[in-house]
Amino acid sequence: MKLTSTRGFFLSGLILLFSQACLAADDGRTALGGPGEAEVIAGTGYAHTLFDSAEQKCQHCHNDLYDTWKTSMHAKSWKDPIFQSKYQDFLRLQASKIGASTANGTYKEGTIQKTGRVCIKCHAPTAYYSDDYQIELSRIGGDAGDPAYDSEAAYADALTRQANLAPAYNPDAKATVASLAKTGQAYTVSYQIGHSHNREGINCAFCHSMETVRMMQADPNFGDGGQYKLQYPIKMGPIGPVVFNKGDTLWYNADASDALMNAFFALIGPEKYTDVANTPKDTIDFDSPRNADGRYTMKSVPTGYDTDSGKPYYTGGPFYGPFGVTGLSNSNGDADASDRAALVNPHFVDAVEAADGDKFTSGHHFAAYGKALCLSCHQRSSLMLNPEYNGNTTVDVGEDNFLELCSTWTAMSDGVGDNYQDTATAPKCQRCHMEPLAGKTVLHKWDKPDELFTAADGVTKHFDPTSGVGPVAEGYLNNHAFMGANKADFGLVKIKSGFESDMKARKLGKKGKKLVVDSRILNTTAHMFPGAHPMRRVLTRVVVTDADGVKVPYASATGDSDFKTITNQLATLAGDTIMPGHETVKVEYSPARELVIQGYTPNLDEDVVFSQMMDDTQVEWVSPDATVVDCTDDEGNVISEKGPVMTSKGWAIKGCTTVKKIIDSDDFENFTRIYGRETGKRFDPADLTSAHVVRPGFDSNIAADNRLQPNEFENYKIFYDTSNVAWPVTVKYKVYYLKKGGSGKFPTGADGFFDTSLPADKKKKLAIYEVYSKDVVIE
């Protein structure tokens, strides 16, 4: 039996998009004869799109911008092997739930058609908005309702049908995963994005097609007035209870843990309206019928034909940039029957430069509301209710709040600034993650990098090279590599710019019977460190050895926290130069700030502290996905193979995993501190002291959070008994960035630091990088 669902309706018409016919240019770029070859029929449904292609279109006039974007995780948001690995596990999980029932409903075969599309709202938003996504659910081995049905044999057969699996995922081909449902039915789930434009992840056309970010502030004279009326109810998962009803109004709050704001963060992706050609642009129309609730509105896309002229509409997009529309005409000439001026957001027209000449505070939401735009994707609540009280006394959040997966919103407002404007205590994201690069070409004529548009060609003043204002005339562009903790720019200096660290050591007393080591680390970002993603961790380690190379155990340690105004020294890709005057970003600290983040560990106040480790105790685990492995004994022998089992709740996959949570260590050979968030599944959610299995991803409870707050400075005093050691003593201090959390591991070599002798593939999988080191010799 094969169950297939695709959106089958199409919208006719033409917009400025690109054909698939192209030639390879000598410089390796995609080459088209001209913009006329870049036309495709616009529409919705499988294998259709409403968006331009970065590769086939944007790079022809924006080479430098395209080159920076191409290295970004936005460009890889759909094809990234880590994401695809977790997404394929997510589909296995969804298929395994088929047949599960609650008091609120049953997970049916058709339910996966909806839940399977959740991740694409952020990772392939053009596919979501264009309805270009196909899921095929197939029963394997017959019907589980047949008494002769062999579940294990059918599941084994389903496993042989898996194809295009991560990390070797190919976005141009269909992928298939296998799963075993609670009913004992074996399934395969296949998925595919049909149109190549929509496989580009978060491409140029998508971000530059956003019109209004919802709930960005409470000003009744702007945007939505800080309120959002739900078109559909918000439920706890696909078959869970309704938490907010259709028609409920959610209100803006700077505090992300506020119940109504927290619920808004459970909405992801763009709003989708009944008429995609006429999305609303003002407060009055925002609550008109929506096909889907979301975080922002998209640009209007005129489709069909002008009945007066008989000419096709062209959008000439993307329309929007930090200084408004590029031009009031385009290269289609008379064929462009649209009124481009009418499609310009009025905030572009009214935008004025700041008195201090800062070009990054204009009236467009890419500028003045930059934080709100970024946070529309980078702040997320799950649809699982938070089992813990998180400090918010206005509501019973243990019952009413969803798990807050990304806490950037709160950190960016801090109760002092706000999360939509650029403020001294919480600068907008673009200041550090889209640093202005000097000596770049923003806009040139089609496939003519050395020939710029002029005012005579109809470009607006900010794209006129003789205007004296704007990126073209001033010779800069904002880096679209979105520098951060990603593979493209890692190994350079971006991560190192996010913190400052130091270590000092000295003898106590004239006889040198004691040694004290101060290790210090300061968060120099405007958000939590090591970041919003729950996989990220940072580990610091101190090792002391005497003249004979013998490790000196520490005797005790204390920790202290403080806050200070910081200056972030911006970092960029090799070969790029930051525009003079924008090399640093200052983040002021206000003692009035109050962050409410669930599970957050209180600041230290000369407290006794201990060395830490990641608990790697092996435990049996029942899971629907590939995160479990064979169970082994202490010698590594397989004592139980992972595989399908019948539990009290039905069929599942049983195997082993490790606990991975951060715990105090009784190992005194070194002193280690680990910063990060615990995310995972407890064995018994009612027992907060029970084991906590940490699994990379956003599907889980938050048991503890000991990241550094913005401006937070942490210092550890570590005391050593050196009465019987051979002098001189060597003190070594290192900071490691664990991009994937080290998979809950930190392999240690004989010197007490990360074991660099591991095979290359093992080190790549762990993704542990040394980002700071200092040695001190005490005579």
Side-chain angles (χ1 to χ4, degrees):
M1 178 180 179
K2 192 172 188 179
L3 304 172
T4 305
S5 175
T6 61
R7 294 290 181 90
F9 67 95
F10 301 92
L11 296 177
S12 63
L14 296 175
I15 63 174
L16 250 185
L17 298 171
F18 299 50
S19 69
Q20 304 301 307
C22 57
L23 300 174
D26 292 339
D27 63 358
R29 295 186 183 279
T30 303
L32 296 175
E37 292 187 24
E39 309 293 347
V40 297
I41 294 178
T44 59
Y46 184 64
H48 287 70
T49 186
L50 295 171
F51 294 89
D52 290 344
S53 162
E55 179 180 355
Q56 296 173 8
K57 171 66 181 304
C58 302
Q59 65 167 313
H60 289 284
C61 299
H62 300 284
N63 289 358
D64 287 342
L65 282 167
Y66 174 84
D67 287 345
T68 60
W69 169 82
K70 189 67 174 177
T71 68
S72 74
M73 289 307 292
H74 280 183
K76 302 169 185 175
S77 62
W78 176 248
K79 63 184 179 182
D80 176 65
I82 297 177
F83 163 72
Q84 281 294 330
S85 175
K86 301 313 300 177
Y87 180 61
Q88 290 177 355
D89 280 347
F90 174 75
L91 290 178
R92 294 183 179 101
L93 170 64
Q94 296 306 308
S96 76
K97 291 181 178 179
I98 295 174
S101 296
T102 68
N104 304 287
T106 300
Y107 198 113
K108 301 177 182 178
E109 288 177 320
T111 307
I112 200 172
Q113 297 292 344
K114 181 177 180 180
T115 58
R117 286 170 166 76
V118 169
C119 299
I120 71 167
K121 292 181 179 181
C122 288
H123 283 264
T126 62
Y128 170 72
Y129 198 71
S130 301
D131 287 310
D132 175 27
Y133 189 71
Q134 185 179 74
I135 297 178
E136 296 177 341
L137 178 71
S138 300
R139 292 181 179 177
I140 304 299
D143 190 332
D146 186 339
Y149 185 78
D150 187 336
S151 291
E152 292 193 43
Y155 178 65
D157 184 11
L159 290 173
T160 67
R161 299 171 186 249
Q162 294 192 124
N164 197 14
L165 300 180
Y169 171 77
N170 175 11
D172 296 331
K174 180 186 295 186
T176 302
V177 299
S179 188
L180 187 63
K182 303 294 185 184
T183 58
Q185 180 72 57
Y187 291 100
T188 59
V189 186
S190 300
Y191 64 96
Q192 170 80 61
I193 292 176
H195 200 288
S196 61
H197 293 188
N198 297 330
R199 299 180 203 136
E200 291 183 342
I202 304 166
N203 65 7
C204 316
F206 185 76
C207 286
H208 287 269
S209 293
M210 290 184 183
E211 285 192 313
T212 303
V213 181
R214 300 295 305 275
M215 296 276 280
M216 62 171 108
Q217 60 164 313
D219 183 354
N221 298 313
F222 183 87
D224 51 30
Q227 59 182 304
Y228 192 99
K229 185 177 180 180
L230 292 171
Q231 181 72 15
Y232 298 97
I234 296 180
K235 298 193 300 183
M236 180 180 168
I239 57 174
V242 172
V243 183
F244 288 91
N245 297 302
K246 175 181 178 179
D248 284 352
T249 298
L250 309 178
W251 289 92
Y252 170 89
N253 195 304
D255 182 359
S257 62
D258 173 80
L260 300 182
M261 202 72 210
N262 166 272
F264 177 70
F265 294 141
L267 306 179
I268 56 176
E271 296 177 336
K272 296 176 72 172
Y273 288 81
T274 304
D275 182 1
V276 297
N278 292 285
T279 58
K281 297 178 177 64
D282 56 50
T283 307
I284 297 174
D285 291 334
F286 276 147
D287 292 327
S288 62
R290 291 189 291 268
N291 289 331
D293 287 309
R295 301 280 286 276
Y296 44 86
T297 63
M298 302 302 295
K299 72 180 179 185
S300 296
V301 181
T303 58
Y305 289 82
D306 182 353
T307 56
D308 294 328
S309 67
K311 296 177 180 178
Y313 281 123
Y314 292 88
T315 59
F319 296 124
Y320 307 130
F323 302 101
V325 68
T326 304
L328 296 178
S329 63
N330 63 30
S331 54
N332 288 287
D334 293 339
D336 184 1
S338 62
D339 181 358
R340 288 170 61 82
L343 293 172
V344 178
N345 188 313
H347 293 285
F348 296 144
V349 179
D350 297 335
V352 294
E353 304 299 348
D356 60 2
D358 187 353
K359 304 301 188 299
F360 305 96
T361 54
S362 65
H364 178 35
H365 61 244
F366 272 33
Y369 299 98
K371 285 190 290 185
L373 182 137
C374 296
L375 290 169
S376 66
C377 284
H378 289 275
Q379 174 71 33
R380 177 83 169 94
S381 296
S382 75
L383 290 177
M384 295 298 293
L385 293 181
N386 181 13
E388 298 180 39
Y389 178 79
N390 69 4
N392 186 336
T393 58
T394 60
V395 294
D396 184 359
V397 294
E399 296 180 359
D400 298 331
N401 264 31
F402 294 111
L403 288 166
E404 185 185 321
L405 301 174
C406 302
S407 57
T408 313
W409 180 277
T410 297
M412 292 298 288
S413 68
D414 68 30
V416 179
D418 58 55
N419 21 43
Y420 58 92
Q421 291 188 114
D422 190 24
T423 67
T425 57
K428 63 187 176 187
C429 316
Q430 291 89 334
R431 284 196 176 274
C432 294
H433 294 281
M434 295 188 72
E435 69 282 4
L437 303 179
K440 300 288 186 177
T441 299
V442 178
L443 176 66
H444 58 77
K445 292 186 177 180
W446 182 274
D447 268 344
K448 297 177 181 179
D450 298 326
E451 188 174 341
L452 302 182
F453 285 103
T454 66
D457 297 307
V459 293
T460 55
K461 72 172 185 176
H462 289 101
F463 291 93
D464 177 4
T466 64
S467 67
V469 297
V472 175
E474 298 178 35
Y476 75 93
L477 59 78
N478 293 100
N479 189 358
H480 283 57
F482 305 99
M483 295 282 288
N486 60 58
K487 188 177 297 185
D489 65 79
F490 193 80
L492 299 173
V493 290
K494 186 61 178 179
I495 296 301
K496 298 178 183 180
S497 75
F499 72 96
E500 292 178 5
S501 197
D502 196 10
M503 179 271 291
K504 296 180 180 179
R506 67 185 188 279
K507 290 181 179 179
L508 288 180
K510 296 181 179 180
K511 297 182 179 180
K513 293 185 177 181
K514 290 185 178 181
L515 179 76
V516 61
V517 177
D518 288 315
S519 71
R520 306 172 181 179
I521 189 166
L522 168 69
N523 178 10
T524 61
T525 73
H527 51 72
M528 308 296 284
F529 181 81
H533 198 296
M535 289 174 64
R536 316 290 192 214
R537 284 180 175 172
V538 164
L539 180 149
T540 68
R541 175 162 286 183
V542 177
V543 176
V544 177
T545 54
D546 67 9
D548 298 325
V550 177
K551 291 180 183 176
V552 181
Y554 78 90
S556 62
T558 59
D560 191 19
S561 294
D562 199 359
F563 294 87
K564 60 194 296 185
T565 294
I566 57 94
T567 298
N568 184 283
Q569 186 74 39
L570 296 189
T572 192
L573 293 169
D576 289 332
T577 302
I578 297 178
M579 184 181 179
H582 294 273
E583 298 89 350
T584 61
V585 173
K586 184 179 180 180
V587 184
E588 294 183 2
Y589 173 69
S590 170
R593 183 180 72 187
E594 182 179 359
L595 298 186
V596 180
I597 297 176
Q598 61 193 52
Y600 188 73
T601 303
N603 301 324
L604 299 170
D605 186 16
E606 299 182 0
D607 300 324
V608 175
V609 295
F610 299 90
S611 183
Q612 294 176 331
M613 63 176 287
M614 287 177 283
D615 188 352
D616 60 357
T617 303
Q618 179 178 266
V619 292
E620 285 193 331
W621 188 252
V622 176
S623 170
D625 56 39
T627 58
V628 294
V629 297
D630 294 336
C631 297
T632 58
D633 58 20
D634 293 338
E635 285 73 40
N637 301 310
V638 176
I639 56 178
S640 176
E641 294 184 348
K642 75 170 185 177
V645 295
M646 177 64 78
T647 70
S648 60
K649 298 182 179 179
W651 284 99
I653 309 300
K654 189 174 184 179
C656 278
T657 188
T658 51
V659 173
K660 303 183 181 72
K661 69 176 180 178
I662 301 170
I663 61 173
D664 288 339
S665 170
D666 57 4
D667 175 14
F668 284 83
E669 278 200 344
N670 55 63
F671 181 82
T672 303
R673 298 302 289 179
I674 305 173
Y675 304 90
R677 302 172 76 185
E678 287 190 2
T679 63
K681 303 289 187 182
R682 297 188 187 87
F683 290 112
D684 180 6
D687 179 9
L688 302 186
T689 64
S690 66
H692 189 88
V693 177
V694 178
R695 296 162 54 189
F698 291 98
D699 64 341
S700 44
N701 299 330
I702 297 175
D705 187 342
N706 67 341
R707 295 171 298 165
L708 296 176
Q709 295 182 29
N711 308 89
E712 186 169 7
F713 176 79
E714 215 160 70
N715 180 74
Y716 296 96
K717 289 186 179 297
I718 315 158
F719 300 93
Y720 295 81
D721 181 354
T722 51
S723 57
N724 295 304
V725 302
W727 295 86
V729 166
T730 301
V731 183
K732 292 187 176 183
Y733 171 68
K734 294 182 184 292
V735 181
Y736 294 92
Y737 180 74
L738 284 61
K739 181 179 178 182
K740 302 177 186 177
S743 300
K745 300 178 177 64
F746 187 80
T748 302
D751 62 355
F753 294 103
F754 180 64
D755 186 0
T756 57
S757 67
L758 293 172
D761 61 337
K762 179 71 171 179
K763 287 192 287 188
K764 182 178 180 181
K765 184 176 181 180
L766 290 171
I768 298 174
Y769 304 90
E770 181 181 316
V771 290
Y772 180 82
S773 178
K774 183 177 181 179
D775 297 359
V776 174
V777 177
I778 307 297
E779 300 288 347

